[in-house]
Structures are given as C-alpha cells and as structure tokens.
Amino acid sequence: MRGIELTPEHPVPRLADLGARAEAAGFDTVFTSCHYNNRDPFLALTEVARATDEVRLGPGVVNPHEVHPVRLASAVATLDELSGGRAVLGIGPGDPSTLRNLGLLDDRGLRPVLEAFETARALWRGERVTRDGTFVATDAGLNYEPPSGDGIPVYVGGEGPHMCRMAAKRADGLLFNGSHPEDLAWAREQVEIGLEDRPGGPDGNGGFDLAAYASVSVAEDADAAREAARPPAAFIAAGAAPPVLDRHGIDAGRAADVGDAISAGRFGEAFGLVTDAMIDAFSATGTPEAVGERLGSLLDHADGVVVGAPLGPDLEAAVDLAAAALDRAEGG
C-alpha cells in the first residue's frame, strides 16, 4: 500500500482537490480520518471519489461505537457503489480522547471491532445478520449489493498486541499507528504470531498487508515541518499504550495531561505540552530526504506506508513532497 490520509478538518472541496493531487502524485489509497469533531468522513469520501479515477477510498479509521455497525457497513457499500468498486474499510477501536466526550471510552476493545467487520462482510455477501453481542441486529440485511461484494478489503487500525494479532488472523491488513522503526518491528512480531492462526496460513485469502500508518510532516524547511507535527503527536501520545510510552521514554503523566487537554477542547495547551521525545517517536518530520530515510526504515518491517496528518505546513506542497519521500524510501 502507498496510501495517504486526509483529515476533514479542512473543507470538503479542498479534500477533493487534495485527493486528486494525491492520485496524480502516485498514491494508490486515500483514507479520511474519522472524528466526530471534524466534518463527516463519508461525505468527504464521496467528493474524493468524484474527483479521482483509480485510488481506493475509505475511512481510516472509523470505529464501531458512534454508528451502528450495520449502518456503517451500508455506508461503506454505498461508497463502493459510488466509486465503482474502490472502497476499503479501515476500522479500529476509536480515538480515546474524542470517545471520552461521547461517553464511549469504556466501549473500546477488540471484540466490537471484530464483530463489526465480520458483520459487514456478511452483509456485503448478501446475507442477513442476527447478532446479540456488542451490538444487536435481528435479521438485518442490505437491499442492494456493492460492486466489490465480499471483496471490499478490511484493514484494522490498532497498536495493541491483541488487536495486531487479531488483524493478522482475520482481516486483510493492519493499519499500525506508528512512525518509528522500533514500533514497526514490534508490530511485525505481533503480526507473525497472528498469521500462524490465519485460515490457510500466512497467504490465506490473498495474504496480509502490514501498513505503517505514519504521521508525516514534510517541508523544505525542516523546522517548520517539525512545528507542524505537534498536533498529531499530541493526539497519538494521548492515546498511546503504556508500553509504547515506555519504549520511547515518554512520561505517562505528561501524555495523560495532553489527553485531558484535548478532551476539554484546550488544544493550544495540549500542543504546548508535546515534548521533543513525542515528536521524535510519533512523527516522521523534516525535509523530503530526512522523511524518506525514516519511511525507508519503516519499510524494513512494513509492507507499505500510509502518510498521515499533518503532512506538512503547506498541505498542497506536502502531498507532492510526501510522494517524493516515499519514492526515496522505496528506492525509486
């Protein structure tokens, strides 16, 4: 995968233009991030679909808590129909900082994610679904068939060991929220454990794709790129598991303070609490040459890369610069 994340904090027409620019730059997949306090990701994806011809499109990543999983499956199927079979589902447990605002923090976990995408696959195959687990559905079905049917790829977004292993066992890929080679090396270890239990072995159902979902900030001005990385580093640090924080020597109390400030809407305070260690651990920043070197180190362990927010201080220029960095990382 050679993907890019666009965030609906920007107006939808601008996202559509950026999606077209990303396709022209050589990206093969466009994800939109999914947070209730940004614009609707599926409306944004609709416009990106209209502005592009070949790239795959999907939420990256949506959670199964804010919207009923059957409704979510239908939204992805509709996107698949609209785009001519280009949809991909990125699904994960959800961002703790924003789910806290909705009273859903305690609902996060592996089982809701698994039940949601297994339900989606059944619905896409034309089956009717009855479930009484993390959600309830009684004889639910879709009255239409998406072009891709059960062939819509499912990527699990996560970073915990059980989520990584479950993805390797049951999904088409893992979107691992990581920008540091040590984290991707660890993720590869978890994936290899999960693949041992995959039906048909590691290559069962067409194989498995581990993608580094990396926060990237690239610009010709390295200092400007680093400063632009503060907001995503804050969100990532706030949601990082204790072992991840320990791996990079980041104070857990400081990360918790960042999360509290985000949940309260005090974003300036949250971004001000971000340390150099957080930026180094949770972002690939700098010039195209420096970012290319970091992405190359991720590809030592991952099968592909999704370049994620913020991309850079100049968003339009950053799309092209990120593509150039990936070319460098891939040896092109």
Side-chain angles (χ1 to χ4, degrees), residues 226-240:
R226 188 172 181 83
E227 188 61 27
R230 283 186 174 274
F235 278 90
I236 296 169

Side-chain angles (χ1 to χ4, degrees), residues 292-321:
E293 183 176 350
R294 169 63 77 89
L295 298 183
S297 69
L298 302 184
L299 287 171
D300 288 339
H301 310 287
D303 302 307
V305 171
V306 178
V307 295
L311 299 181
D314 182 331
L315 196 52
E316 280 73 16
V319 171
D320 297 325
L321 292 175

Side-chain angles (χ1 to χ4, degrees), residues 60-73:
V61 298
V62 70
N63 69 71
H65 314 300
E66 295 176 60
V67 179
H68 193 286
V70 171
R71 169 62 70 182
L72 176 59

Side-chain angles (χ1 to χ4, degrees), residues 148-197:
S148 297
D150 192 37
I152 298 176
V154 174
Y155 281 73
V156 170
E159 57 186 35
H162 299 297
M163 195 71 74
C164 293
R165 295 171 192 175
M166 181 273 284
K169 181 179 177 180
R170 307 295 284 272
D172 298 294
L174 171 67
L175 299 174
F176 183 81
N177 189 4
S179 308
H180 196 283
E182 290 182 12
D183 293 331
L184 266 298
W186 178 88
R188 174 57 72 182
E189 293 174 358
Q190 308 313 308
V191 163
E192 294 301 323
I193 293 171
L195 288 175
E196 293 178 2
D197 295 324

Side-chain angles (χ1 to χ4, degrees), residues 18-272:
L18 288 168
R21 187 175 190 129
E23 183 174 68
F27 290 98
D28 59 32
T29 308
V30 174
F31 289 105
T32 58
S33 55
C34 304
H35 300 102
Y36 82 89
N37 48 8
N38 283 335
R39 294 166 180 83
D40 183 88
F42 284 98
L43 291 176
L45 286 164
T46 295
E47 293 305 309
V48 175
R50 289 171 174 159
T52 56
D53 298 311
E54 296 181 355
V55 290
R56 300 210 74 121
L57 307 154
V61 298
V62 70
N63 69 71
H65 314 300
E66 295 176 60
V67 179
H68 193 286
V70 171
R71 169 62 70 182
L72 176 59
S74 185
V76 175
T78 302
L79 176 65
D80 197 57
E81 181 180 71
L82 176 72
S83 64
R86 293 189 280 141
V88 56
L89 171 59
I91 185 168
D95 172 59
S97 298
T98 50
L99 288 183
R100 185 182 308 171
N101 296 128
L102 306 181
L104 296 170
L105 185 59
D106 292 339
D107 296 332
R108 297 178 78 249
L110 183 152
R111 188 180 172 201
V113 174
L114 176 60
E115 289 187 0
F117 77 73
E118 286 193 332
T119 294
R121 283 173 163 170
L123 293 168
W124 297 335
R125 291 192 297 266
E127 300 173 14
R128 303 194 71 83
V129 172
T130 295
R131 279 194 179 273
D132 186 7
T134 57
F135 67 92
V136 175
T138 303
D139 197 28
L142 302 181
N143 294 331
Y144 63 98
E145 295 182 11
S148 297
D150 192 37
I152 298 176
V154 174
Y155 281 73
V156 170
E159 57 186 35
H162 299 297
M163 195 71 74
C164 293
R165 295 171 192 175
M166 181 273 284
K169 181 179 177 180
R170 307 295 284 272
D172 298 294
L174 171 67
L175 299 174
F176 183 81
N177 189 4
S179 308
H180 196 283
E182 290 182 12
D183 293 331
L184 266 298
W186 178 88
R188 174 57 72 182
E189 293 174 358
Q190 308 313 308
V191 163
E192 294 301 323
I193 293 171
L195 288 175
E196 293 178 2
D197 295 324
R198 188 176 180 86
D203 296 323
N205 300 318
F208 183 81
D209 184 21
L210 167 58
Y213 207 114
S215 174
V216 168
S217 185
V218 58
E220 297 295 353
D221 183 335
D223 291 337
R226 188 172 181 83
E227 188 61 27
R230 283 186 174 274
F235 278 90
I236 296 169
V244 177
L245 299 175
D246 291 343
R247 189 179 302 139
H248 298 290
I250 295 171
D251 180 74
R254 181 89 170 215
D257 290 342
V258 172
D260 289 342
I262 290 173
S263 294
R266 301 192 305 270
F267 296 109
E269 177 185 337
F271 303 156

